[in-house]
Amino acid sequence: MTTENAEVTPVFAGLKVVEIASFIAAPAAATMLSDFGADVIKVEPPGIGDPQRLLSSVSPSPAAPGNYSWHLANRNKRGMSVDLKSEGATEILKRLVQWADVVITNFPHGTREKLHLGYEEVSAWNPRVIYADITGFGDAGPDAGLPGFDLTAFWSRSGLLAATRDAGAPPTSPVWGSGDYTTATTIYAAIATALYHRERTGKGANVGTSLLATGVWATGTLVSAALAGGTPYELHDRNKPVNAMTNAYQSGDDRWFMLAAKRTAWPTLANAIGRADMLADPRFADVEAIAENAGELAKLLDDEFRSRPLSHWSDVLDAARIPYGVIQTAEEAAADPQLRAAGIVVPIEGAEDLELTVNNPITLRGLPRTPSRRAPDHGEHNDEVLAELGFTTDEITQLREENAIPAASPQETAK
C-alpha cells in the first residue's frame, strides 16, 4: 500500500524529466518517474497534440466518462505545446535539455535527428543527461527503421501471440496497450540503472529498449528453449491438457476459473471436492498415471465443477490451499476489493469524470508516492516553463509570433 509520510522526500524529488513522445510506452515510463516525485514536462506538437489524448474516445476503447487513458499514461506532468519544426523551437528544446536530467522519446530515428532530438546533439547540450528511447524493433538489423506497435512488435513478432492461443483457434487480438505498459516498465528500469551509473561516474548515458525486445523477454522461456533446439509444445487444449490440474474449468453458474496446481496435489484436490473415491481409480493412482490420463481426469473434473456454483468452489479451494484464479472481466477486476486494498487502484485528483486510476506496479515500502493528479491540458504550462527556462515575456511573445508555440492557453491566460 502507499505510504504517506510528509517527513520523507519522494525518491525522485528534484529529478527533471523532459518527455517528447506519443501514445503509451514512453509517456507511461515518464509517468512512473512522476509517481515517485520527478518533475516531468511533456512536450506535444500543436494541433491535437499527443494522439493518446483521443484514445479513450476511439473504438475499441471502452466508452466511458472521462479521458481515462490520457490520465493513466500522463498524470502528474506539466504540459507544453511546441512546434519542434519551427526555428525558434530549437532554442526551447536546447534549454529544456540543459535543464533536464532525463530525456525520453520514441520518435523514429531520422525524424528525431531532423528535430534536433538525436542523441549526439542532445548529449552535446548536456553531457550528464540520461537519454532514453523506445523503438519498435531495436537499433540495428533490417527492420530497425520500421514502425512498431505493441500488437505487431511486442505480441506478433516475439512469439507471444502464437503461444497464447488455444489449439484449433486462430490468433486473436490481445488487449491493446498491454505490450506498451510492459515496455514502459522496461525503459523505467533502464533509466533507473543509468541514474545509478551517473551517480557513480558523473556521466550521462544513452539507454533504450524496443517493443520486440520486451516481447521476447516476456516469451523468454519459449524463445530460449527454441534457441536450445527444444521441440515446440502443442498449443493448449483444455479437453486434452498436459496437466489436468492446471486447466480452465467452468462452475455451475457459468463462471470460468483457472486451476493452477501440480499433479502431486491431486489427493488434496480429490478430498477437497468430496471425491476421495477417485483416488482408488488406477487411472489416477500416481503422478505418472495422472499425466497419462490427463484428458479423462479433465472430463471428470469438468463434470464435478459444473455441479456447484463458483462461490462453493471458491470456499473449497481456498480452504484446501489449492491455487486457482477466477477469470474476471476488466469490469470485475476494477471492482475487486483486493486492488484497492493493495494500492493497485488509487484515487486521482482533478480529472473530470474520473475518481480512480491504475497505479504503476512498483512498490517502495516506507517511501512516499506522489498522489495521482490529472494529466495536463494541451500547452497548459507553456508560459510557466518558458519563464523557468529564462525566456522573457517579450521572447515568449516572439515565440508565439513565430508559431513556435501556440497562443496562450485558457489556463495560462487566467494566471
Side-chain angles (χ1 to χ4, degrees), residues 15 25 44-45 85 87 107 166 182 229 233 245 253 262 273 304 306 322 327 334 355 370 389 413:
L15 187 74
E44 301 176 71
K85 298 177 182 178
E87 184 177 347
F107 283 16
D166 285 342
T182 303
Y233 70 90
M245 303 285 288
D253 53 350
K262 298 178 181 178
I273 65 176
E304 196 65 36
R306 284 177 177 151
I322 298 292
I327 299 175
E355 295 181 1
T370 301
L389 296 175
T413 303

Side-chain angles (χ1 to χ4, degrees), residues 52-411:
Q52 169 82 355
R53 288 182 174 275
L54 306 178
L55 198 57
S56 296
S57 61
V58 177
S59 180
S61 300
N67 197 345
Y68 55 87
S69 66
W70 173 247
H71 292 291
L72 175 59
N74 292 284
R75 60 177 178 252
N76 296 340
K77 299 175 184 177
R78 295 193 285 170
M80 295 187 71
S81 176
V82 181
D83 184 356
L84 294 178
K85 298 177 182 178
S86 66
E87 184 177 347
T90 304
E91 182 61 25
I92 298 175
L93 179 60
K94 181 178 180 180
R95 293 197 199 183
L96 281 169
V97 168
Q98 291 171 336
W99 170 87
D101 295 293
V102 180
V103 172
I104 304 175
T105 189
N106 63 356
F107 283 16
H109 286 291
T111 299
R112 67 178 73 169
E113 283 75 16
K114 291 178 182 178
L115 298 176
H116 305 281
L117 194 55
Y119 173 70
E120 296 301 328
E121 192 163 3
V122 166
S123 61
W125 288 335
N126 182 357
R128 283 175 50 83
V129 78
I130 306 303
Y131 183 93
D133 72 349
I134 296 175
T135 63
F137 299 99
D139 295 336
D143 297 335
L146 294 179
F149 299 92
D150 72 338
L151 291 179
T152 59
F154 180 92
W155 279 99
S156 299
R157 286 287 291 272
S158 69
L160 186 59
L161 186 56
T164 51
R165 62 191 176 99
D166 285 342
T172 187
S173 180
V175 178
W176 57 259
S178 52
D180 284 317
Y181 282 106
T182 303
T183 303
T185 306
T186 304
I187 197 64
Y188 169 89
I191 291 167
T193 303
L195 288 169
Y196 180 69
H197 165 77
R198 192 179 72 175
E199 181 69 19
R200 297 180 64 190
T201 67
K203 299 178 180 179
N206 183 3
V207 301
T209 191
S210 68
L211 291 164
L212 178 61
T214 309
V216 171
W217 180 250
T219 324
T221 298
L222 301 182
V223 175
S224 62
L227 291 170
T231 301
Y233 70 90
E234 296 181 2
L235 292 176
H236 180 71
D237 182 345
R238 64 170 304 275
N239 296 310
K240 300 176 183 178
V242 174
N243 175 13
M245 303 285 288
T246 298
N247 199 26
Y249 294 100
Q250 191 175 26
S251 64
D253 53 350
D254 296 327
R255 294 303 307 273
W256 287 94
F257 61 94
M258 181 65 72
L259 203 64
K262 298 178 181 178
R263 295 188 185 97
T264 53
W266 166 237
T268 302
L269 179 62
N271 281 297
I273 65 176
R275 292 302 307 270
D277 59 296
M278 294 171 68
L279 296 173
D281 190 320
R283 293 174 299 172
F284 317 126
D286 53 35
V287 170
E288 289 76 17
I290 290 171
E292 185 176 346
N293 298 289
E296 296 172 65
L297 179 55
K299 177 62 171 65
L300 290 169
L301 289 175
D302 258 341
D303 294 340
E304 196 65 36
F305 285 130
R306 284 177 177 151
S307 70
R308 301 284 186 91
L310 177 64
S311 58
H312 171 81
W313 296 122
S314 293
D315 291 342
V316 166
L317 296 173
D318 284 342
R321 305 290 291 177
I322 298 292
Y324 74 99
V326 178
I327 299 175
Q328 299 190 137
T329 64
E331 293 73 22
E332 289 169 332
D336 191 329
Q338 180 62 26
L339 272 65
R340 289 162 178 77
I344 299 169
V345 164
V346 294
I348 184 168
E349 302 173 4
E352 186 176 359
D353 295 323
L354 293 177
E355 295 181 1
L356 299 166
T357 191
V358 178
N359 217 345
N360 86 57
I362 294 174
T363 297
L364 299 179
R365 296 181 181 90
L367 295 174
R369 184 189 292 258
T370 301
S372 294
R373 296 185 299 271
R374 67 172 179 86
D377 291 330
H378 192 194
E380 178 177 348
H381 301 98
N382 266 12
D383 284 14
E384 174 183 302
V385 173
L386 290 170
E388 289 180 18
L389 296 175
F391 287 93
T392 66
T393 301
D394 289 343
E395 288 173 329
I396 295 173
T397 299
Q398 184 178 350
L399 288 169
R400 285 201 169 91
E401 292 173 351
E402 296 172 348
N403 294 319
I405 59 174
S409 67
Q411 293 80 8

